[in-house]
């Protein structure tokens, strides 16, 4: 595909996306000093704090003596060990299960058995644990959310079952075919477990199926330990049941495709799921707020969004007519500004893709990537919603909605 010269336009528009930092302020803990973790390392505080957790001589993620190996992909056996140490279940005697690839005399055999018993991790369909395999980012989030669920068992974790793609039907009889990890990623991002790297360090970001390194896992544990009371988990209940109004076949296609990208990281100028965007190389696969919409609605579904509308406020300017909150239909582009519906076009700073009943999908720095949010349960998004833009044709909407639907703006 011909490379289109709009990357400079993207850079100009970037400041219009919300990139709230999820940084955590905490005093530096006295801990193991690692020779490969300088004071300037982005995860230094997290590494120092987390490696103090656990019983004497067996600390979380303290696996390599004087080294921490921050950029090394964490293996399944070492993640299992860290989860068991973090849970306080180290040394527990459990009923063992057969593993094809981990013998009873293996040094990690016991902690793997405990991790399996508590459901933090699983065997594959062949009965193997694959102890030395690297852990994909999505599976690290799944494991840590399962540990947190056990830690705060009385909180409302309904979303982990109600949004399970094998059973979730946002329309009667219709499943989304979303990745199996979707509910865990939604929970993880609601709790802000992932670190959003600044734009000049976006190369550290990984997509859900890429291996995650030890520094990133240390940060997730650090954030998880910061969930110091069940009040911090209260917002998870907002996701316990998500249903959409009746969708047309086109709206289902868009929704199904969009949900595949839940968990992809927030990337400054990102508009593609891999580094090799046809519009110019990215530091990593992922999306900024308008880039997600650009990829889904322009690049994939080929709606008339031009390369000059790559930024959120440029997309918002073409909303003619502007769609109000009550008029929103699945597939509409939605925009946010500092004065809500009274915001100027120039002040629009964030964008999302509306799915229905208040729910939308978006990429935001505050959760380091693509997740689901609500215009109804979030006072923030409810307050700063500005307007929507219709790109679907009336014929692509449900019959009842098509009767009163405004035509999208002409090219």
């Amino acid at each position: 595909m011909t490379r289109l010269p709009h990357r400079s336009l993207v850079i100009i528009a970037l400041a219009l996306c919300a990139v709230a930092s999820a940084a955590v302020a905490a005093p530096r803990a006295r801990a193991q000093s690692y020779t490969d973790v300088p004071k300037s390392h982005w995860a230094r505080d997290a590494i120092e704090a987390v490696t103090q957790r656990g019983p004497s001589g067996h600390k979380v993620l303290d696996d390599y003596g004087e080294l921490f190996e921050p950029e090394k992909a964490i293996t399944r056996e070492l993640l299992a060990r860290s989860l068991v140490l973090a849970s306080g279940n180290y040394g527990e005697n459990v009923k063992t299960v057969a593993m094809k690839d981990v013998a009873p005399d293996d040094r990690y055999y016991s902690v793997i058995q405990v991790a399996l018993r508590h459901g933090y991790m699983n065997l594959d369909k062949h009965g193997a644990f694959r102890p030395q395999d690297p852990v994909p980012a999505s599976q690290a989030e799944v494991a840590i959310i399962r540990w947190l669920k056990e830690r705060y068992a009385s909180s409302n974790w309904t979303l982990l079952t109600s949004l399970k793609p094998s059973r979730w039907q946002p329309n009667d009889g219709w499943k989304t075919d979303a990745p199996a990890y979707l509910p865990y990623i939604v929970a993880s991002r609601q709790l802000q477990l992932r670190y959003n790297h600044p734009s000049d360090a976006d190369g550290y970001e990984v997509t859900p199926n890429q291996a995650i390194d030890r520094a990133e896992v240390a940060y997730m544990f650090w954030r998880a330990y910061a969930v110091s009371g069940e009040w911090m988990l209260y917002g998870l209940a907002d996701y316990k049941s998500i249903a959409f109004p009746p969708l047309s076949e086109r709206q289902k296609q868009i929704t199904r495709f969009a949900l595949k990208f839940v968990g992809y990281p927030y990337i400054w100028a990102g508009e593609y799921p891999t580094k090799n965007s046809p519009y110019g190389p990215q530091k990593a696969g992922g999306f900024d707020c308008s880039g997600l919409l650009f990829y889904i609605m322009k690049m994939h579904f080929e709606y008339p969004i031009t390369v000059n509308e790559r930024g959120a406020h440029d997309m918002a300017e073409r909303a003619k007519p502007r769609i109000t909150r009550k008029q929103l239909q699945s597939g509409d582009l939605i925009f946010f500004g500092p004065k809500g519906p009274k915001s100027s076009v120039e002040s629009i700073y964030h964008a999302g893709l509306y799915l229905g009943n208040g729910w939308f999908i978006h990429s935001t720095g505050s959760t380091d990537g693509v997740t689901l949010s609500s215009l109804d349960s979030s006072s923030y998004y409810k307050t700063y919603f500005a307007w929507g833009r219709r790109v679907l044709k009336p014929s692509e909407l449900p019959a009842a909605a098509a009767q009163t639907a405004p035509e999208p703006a002409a090219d």
Side-chain angles (χ1 to χ4, degrees), residues 9 20 28 38 42 97 106 112 119 132 165 171 188 192 262 297 331 410:
L9 296 173
R28 173 136 333 154
W42 70 268
V97 297
D106 187 287
I112 291 172
Q132 297 182 21
N171 274 185
S188 170
Q192 298 184 344
V262 167
M297 302 303 284

Side-chain angles (χ1 to χ4, degrees), residues 147-197:
W147 162 61
L148 272 179
K149 181 178 181 291
E150 181 183 69
R151 188 177 176 90
Y152 295 102
S154 62
S155 291
N156 191 330
W157 295 94
T158 306
L159 83 164
L160 298 184
T161 52
S162 64
L163 297 187
K164 190 175 181 180
S166 61
R167 61 177 294 179
W168 179 34
Q169 296 184 22
N171 274 185
D172 287 345
W174 177 68
K175 296 179 181 179
T176 65
D177 296 328
Y181 53 70
L182 179 139
Y184 295 92
I185 298 294
V186 170
S188 170
R189 303 313 169 92
Q190 170 68 17
L191 296 173
Q192 298 184 344
L193 297 188
R194 292 296 301 275
Y195 179 74
N196 178 40
H197 291 276

Side-chain angles (χ1 to χ4, degrees), residues 251-312:
Q251 289 172 322
K252 289 178 181 179
Q253 291 172 2
I254 292 169
T255 300
R256 179 181 284 114
F257 185 73
L259 289 173
K260 294 180 185 295
F261 300 102
V262 167
Y264 273 68
Y266 184 94
I267 299 296
W268 193 247
E271 65 211 353
Y272 210 67
T274 68
K275 290 182 179 182
N276 299 318
S277 165
Y279 293 98
Q282 304 177 183
K283 291 184 177 178
F287 309 91
D288 65 18
C289 63
S290 55
L292 178 67
L293 276 59
F294 191 83
Y295 177 70
I296 295 171
M297 302 303 284
K298 193 277 191 303
M299 298 176 72
H300 186 78
F301 287 102
E302 299 183 340
Y303 283 100
I305 301 170
T306 72
V307 294
N308 294 323
E309 301 169 59
R310 173 57 179 80

Side-chain angles (χ1 to χ4, degrees), residues 102-397:
V102 183
D105 60 352
D106 187 287
R107 63 182 298 191
Y108 295 105
Y109 179 84
S110 295
V111 291
I112 291 172
Q113 287 288 352
V114 175
L116 293 173
R117 175 64 177 172
H118 286 266
Y120 309 142
M121 302 175 74
N122 299 312
L123 300 176
D124 68 16
K125 62 182 180 180
H126 304 294
F129 186 76
R130 308 188 314 278
Q132 297 182 21
D133 278 8
V135 179
S138 59
Q139 294 309 306
E141 290 186 75
V142 169
I144 289 180
I145 288 295
R146 287 174 172 172
W147 162 61
L148 272 179
K149 181 178 181 291
E150 181 183 69
R151 188 177 176 90
Y152 295 102
S154 62
S155 291
N156 191 330
W157 295 94
T158 306
L159 83 164
L160 298 184
T161 52
S162 64
L163 297 187
K164 190 175 181 180
S166 61
R167 61 177 294 179
W168 179 34
Q169 296 184 22
N171 274 185
D172 287 345
W174 177 68
K175 296 179 181 179
T176 65
D177 296 328
Y181 53 70
L182 179 139
Y184 295 92
I185 298 294
V186 170
S188 170
R189 303 313 169 92
Q190 170 68 17
L191 296 173
Q192 298 184 344
L193 297 188
R194 292 296 301 275
Y195 179 74
N196 178 40
H197 291 276
S199 59
D200 61 354
D202 270 342
Y204 286 112
E205 299 280 11
V206 291
T207 58
N209 292 320
Q210 290 180 313
I212 193 167
D213 68 34
R214 290 168 52 80
E216 298 282 357
V217 173
Y219 182 84
M220 284 198 289
F221 269 114
W222 192 40
R223 287 291 299 171
Y225 278 121
V227 180
S228 56
E230 297 201 11
W231 64 271
M232 298 181 70
L233 298 159
Y234 184 77
L236 296 177
D238 295 337
Y239 297 85
K240 65 183 179 181
S241 177
I242 297 178
F244 303 140
L247 302 180
S248 68
E249 285 306 309
R250 186 56 156 175
Q251 289 172 322
K252 289 178 181 179
Q253 291 172 2
I254 292 169
T255 300
R256 179 181 284 114
F257 185 73
L259 289 173
K260 294 180 185 295
F261 300 102
V262 167
Y264 273 68
Y266 184 94
I267 299 296
W268 193 247
E271 65 211 353
Y272 210 67
T274 68
K275 290 182 179 182
N276 299 318
S277 165
Y279 293 98
Q282 304 177 183
K283 291 184 177 178
F287 309 91
D288 65 18
C289 63
S290 55
L292 178 67
L293 276 59
F294 191 83
Y295 177 70
I296 295 171
M297 302 303 284
K298 193 277 191 303
M299 298 176 72
H300 186 78
F301 287 102
E302 299 183 340
Y303 283 100
I305 301 170
T306 72
V307 294
N308 294 323
E309 301 169 59
R310 173 57 179 80
H313 85 277
D314 295 310
M315 287 184 182
E317 187 175 19
R318 285 289 305 276
K320 298 175 182 180
R322 294 180 178 181
I323 305 300
T324 67
R325 170 69 180 85
K326 290 183 179 180
Q327 294 174 320
L328 286 176
Q329 290 287 325
S330 179
D332 287 346
L333 317 184
I334 60 175
F335 308 101
F336 300 85
K339 295 183 179 180
K342 296 182 179 179
S343 300
S344 66
V345 168
E346 293 75 16
S347 69
I348 296 297
Y349 59 81
H350 189 54
L353 179 65
Y354 192 70
L355 301 180
N357 284 348
W359 293 100
F360 64 100
I361 187 170
H362 62 143
S363 183
T364 170
S366 62
T367 61
D368 188 35
V370 183
T371 191
L372 299 175
S373 295
S374 173
L375 294 174
D376 296 332
S377 61
S378 167
S379 60
Y380 178 88
Y381 290 119
K382 182 187 298 185
T383 299
Y384 296 111
F385 169 77
W387 60 82
R389 172 181 169 183
R390 178 89 19 97
V391 294
L392 274 68
K393 299 174 183 177
S395 60
E396 296 175 315
L397 301 176

